[in-house]
Amino acid sequence: MTTTWTIAPEPYDSPVAAALWRAYYTEVSDRYYLLHEGRRTDPAELEREVTARTGAELAPPTGQLLVGRYGGEPAGSAGVRLLDAATAELTRVFVVEELRGRGGAALLVRAAEEAARALGAGHLVLDTRADLTEARALYARLGYEETGPHNDDTYAEHWFRKALN
């Protein structure tokens, strides 16, 4: 039997979404602090940030959170939210570490592109950090072009854009 990915909308405040958000935030935060300060994320900071960033912007009618399941088990996420009538932002693209390399990230991004189209967006933008080299390679492979900044996020170092037509 071949194990496959399935991707479906998920409420941003479901237990599955919350667990994936915690795993995502823990990983990217730990990577940042280990690189820049030689330490992992402080547990109190982790709790504060995970709680503060609810993901409510990923709720319909102006957003969508998608969850990828591998063999039926939650294994990744991607979200989109409208920034304006023509622009959606791709965010929270994540696949659990043990399932990377099995095509899930590309499937999640493509599903997020479809969700952005359904929201009426003509293009997607995103930001990421320099140390997230795997993410930057994924976006380039999927046709995203590096552009100038579209936001002033403290941690953003690279910005990408892709037309959805």
Side-chain angles (χ1 to χ4, degrees):
M1 181 176 142
T2 303
T3 305
T4 59
W5 285 94
T6 58
I7 298 171
E10 181 81 22
Y12 76 90
D13 57 353
S14 76
V16 166
L20 287 167
W21 170 232
R22 177 175 293 281
Y24 168 89
Y25 192 87
T26 299
E27 180 176 337
V28 297
S29 184
D30 280 354
R31 281 178 71 162
Y32 179 86
Y33 284 122
L34 285 168
L35 178 65
H36 295 283
E37 298 180 14
R39 66 172 179 89
R40 294 195 178 279
T41 309
D42 175 81
E45 177 192 358
L46 177 67
E47 289 307 314
R48 184 174 61 250
E49 292 300 317
V50 166
T51 301
R53 299 175 188 229
T54 65
E57 70 278 8
L58 303 178
T62 58
Q64 184 69 71
L65 179 67
L66 301 164
V67 166
R69 287 176 169 78
Y70 188 75
E73 294 300 314
S77 65
V80 292
R81 66 180 180 134
L82 287 176
L83 298 179
D84 60 44
T87 309
E89 181 180 39
L90 178 63
T91 186
R92 296 194 187 195
V93 176
F94 173 73
V95 173
V96 295
E97 187 173 6
E98 59 271 17
L99 294 175
R100 291 179 188 157
R102 298 179 191 207
L107 291 172
L108 281 159
V109 171
R110 287 188 186 108
E113 291 170 0
E114 288 301 317
R117 280 186 194 95
L119 293 171
H123 59 270
L124 263 176
V125 296
L126 65 95
D127 66 70
T128 191
R129 296 193 324 241
D131 64 303
L132 300 176
T133 56
E134 309 93 334
R136 291 191 356 255
L138 170 71
Y139 301 134
R141 190 171 73 247
L142 295 177
Y144 288 78
E145 295 181 359
E146 195 152 357
T147 66
H150 65 267
N151 63 24
D152 60 359
D153 185 295
T154 303
Y155 299 104
E157 297 169 310
H158 294 269
W159 294 264
F160 291 83
R161 178 183 180 102
K162 181 178 182 180
L164 296 175
N165 44 14

